[in-house]
Amino acid sequence: GSVAGENARRIYYHGHPLGNSVLGTIESVSAITRDQMHAYFTRRYAANNIILSVAGNFDWNQLVALATAACSGWNTAEVGRTNRT
């Protein structure tokens, strides 16, 4: 299913960035340096840039405690996007 979805998106959005694979190509991934990946992680993985969704029977206080423990050390800087088409 994922391969068919990627091919359909590539064909439908031909030439537009929305048609690109979210995984990149072997060449594009191989060209990324450790420092570039770290800078991306630092810039994008911020506590104010995530959405936590739950469904079903859960303990709200336990959920908040787990999320806080997992994310409290994360960057909280603004992570706005630029150059979107």
Side-chain angles (χ1 to χ4, degrees):
S2 63
V3 172
E6 289 242 348
N7 283 330
R9 202 170 35 258
R10 180 182 47 77
I11 292 166
Y12 184 80
Y13 290 111
H14 178 74
H16 188 276
L18 287 175
N20 296 342
S21 170
V22 296
L23 299 176
T25 64
I26 291 173
E27 293 81 17
S28 67
V29 173
S30 297
I32 297 172
T33 67
R34 182 251 178 235
D35 291 339
Q36 288 172 318
M37 196 64 218
H38 185 264
Y40 178 84
F41 181 87
T42 302
R43 189 174 66 251
R44 291 286 180 214
Y45 285 76
N48 56 336
N49 194 35
I50 64 169
I51 296 173
L52 175 63
S53 300
V54 297
N57 187 14
F58 65 92
D59 180 299
W60 174 257
N61 292 327
Q62 183 182 21
L63 174 69
V64 170
L66 288 169
T68 301
C71 304
S72 63
W74 285 18
N75 170 25
T76 57
E78 190 58 40
V79 293
R81 299 196 187 277
T82 58
N83 301 324
R84 295 179 79 178
T85 57

